[in-house]
Amino acid sequence: MLNTQIVSVDKNRPEGYKIKKAAEIIKTGGLVAFPTETVYGLGGNALDEHVAKKIYAAKGRPQDNPLIVHIHSLSQLDELVKEIPTRAAVLMDKFWPGPLTIIFHKKDIIPYSTTGGLDTVAIRMPAHSVALELIKESGVPIAAPSANISGRPSPACAEDVAEDLFGKIEMILDGGPTSVGVESTVLDLSEKVPIILRPGGVTKEDLEDVLGCVNLDPGLAPGEKPRSPGQKYRHYAPKAQMTVIEGCMENQVKTIQELTKQLESGGLKVGIMATAQTRHLYTRGYVISVGDRTAPLTISSNLFTILRKFDRLGVDRIFAEGISKDGIGLAVMNRLYKAAGYKILKV
Ligand code: TXA
Ligand code: MG
């Protein structure tokens, strides 16, 4: 068991000496969890094959699930990738730093342990000064998956990281809650029409404004085979069984009320993930509003923390209201479906 240091850091102006200490750990082959604008990452030297193995071990993650490599400046990219397609350059210019991950052909310097055996590498530049300063000070690109135990909801605050990884890594940099709350969009540019492998912080509409047509990987649908290795695993799952209820708001509320009544009379504890618009309509269950339907970023930023909250409440079943798939709603619904193991009820 490691003695995990938890160091709080100013997210706007990270204290230099704290970043130096964290960077020292990265340089010497250790692991540091750090905030990004999406979720907390579990970081280590992306160029060291042993470090990738340590990351997989700490997370309990299958080794064929490739890691995202984080950089702080465009000048780092040439060393890592064989070519920079024109479309990638345009996207980087518009969305970096930010929640967009782009797949490139990797150079030999990146070990196969980091890419899960693939000849391609996923790269992003996070929009968070703690992350950027840490990468810069470390002097190496940082491989970082989300800082959770594999299969659990991603961490949107340092407490959630500690819950999963305390004693397993050297340090947690606590920069407060993250803003986007769901992970970056993963984009594959190898086909004529770009493919979203994982919907995330940069929306499909944002990408279409720049690229024209963009497809969503059809493999993301229930029962299909996704193109991105990481997407095939069960994910984001709370301990209780969860069902997503989709339909008009009135029907959602009515159905959840009825189901909750039935389950409660059978002695079960029910959690309801409601929205600002519906929360007051429920008279039973443990009701938590995930956010405002008219401001979906409030929903994405709360989503994972609330799934963990239901775990702590010890509920037996969770009902979650589905929301519109516009904008960041697409990423929210993708995470909800996975958290529910694709248990979806249309009403
Ligand atoms: O927002 C984020 O992206 C966060 C923060 C920490 O940056 N990171 C994150 O990493 O979500 P992770 O490891 O949990 O998810 C990486 C995703 C997986 O679905 C993985 O399969 C996909 O990116 N991926 C990585 N490399 C890939 C590659 N070469 N080809 C296809 N998919 C890849
Ligand atoms: Mg993850």
Side-chain angles (χ1 to χ4, degrees), residues 10-58:
D10 184 334
K11 72 170 181 178
N12 299 314
R13 270 196 250 155
E15 300 85 343
Y17 74 98
K18 294 179 180 171
I19 297 293
K20 267 210 168 76
K21 224 169 146 187
E24 213 42 57
I25 295 172
I26 301 275
K27 283 185 206 169
T28 52
L31 303 183
V32 176
F34 62 95
T36 78
E37 79 281 32
T38 57
V39 299
Y40 274 71
L42 170 55
N45 180 354
L47 306 182
D48 183 334
E49 67 171 308
H50 303 292
V51 166
K53 287 185 182 135
K54 273 196 198 172
I55 293 177
Y56 290 119

Side-chain angles (χ1 to χ4, degrees), residues 84-121:
I84 301 173
T86 314
R87 288 188 299 191
V90 174
L91 290 169
M92 282 151 40
D93 190 48
K94 174 123 176 108
F95 296 111
W96 281 7
L100 175 67
T101 297
I102 302 174
I103 311 291
F104 296 91
H105 286 283
K106 79 170 192 74
K107 280 189 175 165
D108 292 341
I109 190 172
I110 300 180
Y112 280 111
S113 55
T114 296
T115 66
L118 299 175
D119 289 315
T120 53
V121 59

Side-chain angles (χ1 to χ4, degrees), residues 36 38-41 61 65-68 70 101 103 118 120-122 124 144-146 183-184 186 197-198 228-231:
T36 78
T38 57
V39 299
Y40 274 71
R61 175 171 176 149
N65 188 353
L67 307 173
I68 292 178
H70 297 67
T101 297
I103 311 291
L118 299 175
T120 53
V121 59
R124 91 175 188 99
S146 48
E183 300 87 341
S184 61
V186 180
L197 301 181
R198 176 179 73 182
S228 180
Q231 298 300 305

Side-chain angles (χ1 to χ4, degrees), residues 129-322:
S129 41
V130 174
L132 293 173
E133 291 295 319
L134 177 64
I135 303 164
K136 197 168 168 187
E137 188 66 36
S138 301
V140 288
I142 294 187
S146 48
N148 52 284
I149 297 284
S150 194
R152 300 224 54 220
S154 297
C157 62
E159 292 75 16
D160 291 353
V161 177
E163 184 176 67
D164 281 12
L165 297 176
F166 192 86
K168 295 183 175 166
I169 60 178
E170 278 81 0
M171 184 183 277
I172 299 171
L173 285 174
D174 180 356
T178 63
S179 54
V180 178
V182 292
E183 300 87 341
S184 61
T185 304
V186 180
L187 190 68
D188 177 352
L189 292 171
S190 66
E191 310 270 335
K192 202 162 158 214
V193 178
I195 303 168
I196 295 175
L197 301 181
R198 176 179 73 182
V202 169
T203 66
K204 185 163 184 275
E205 293 87 335
D206 292 336
L207 293 171
E208 279 167 345
D209 281 346
V210 178
L211 298 170
C213 194
V214 176
N215 287 334
L216 191 63
D217 175 12
L220 292 174
E224 300 296 320
K225 188 177 181 297
R227 293 169 70 101
S228 180
Q231 298 300 305
K232 67 175 182 265
Y233 297 106
R234 183 154 187 252
H235 256 122
Y236 317 118
K239 287 170 190 145
Q241 193 192 102
M242 177 165 144
T243 309
V244 182
I245 311 293
E246 285 195 285
C248 75
M249 215 166 72
E250 290 70 26
N251 286 354
Q252 287 179 325
V253 173
K254 212 171 122 226
T255 307
I256 293 174
Q257 282 273 51
E258 279 165 12
L259 290 170
T260 303
K261 190 174 169 189
Q262 280 170 24
L263 290 169
E264 282 190 342
S265 64
L268 294 182
K269 247 171 123 170
V270 179
I272 299 172
M273 190 185 275
T275 48
Q277 281 71 18
T278 58
R279 134 177 229 150
H280 63 283
L281 301 172
Y282 292 102
T283 50
R284 299 167 182 278
Y286 293 81
V287 187
I288 305 180
S289 166
V290 66
D292 183 341
R293 288 176 189 239
T294 64
L297 207 57
T298 60
I299 297 183
S300 64
S301 65
N302 285 325
L303 182 67
F304 288 134
T305 309
I306 288 177
L307 288 178
R308 284 176 183 258
K309 212 177 245 173
F310 281 126
D311 277 350
R312 287 180 206 127
L313 281 170
V315 298
D316 304 297
R317 292 287 301 272
I318 301 169
F319 295 114
E321 296 174 2

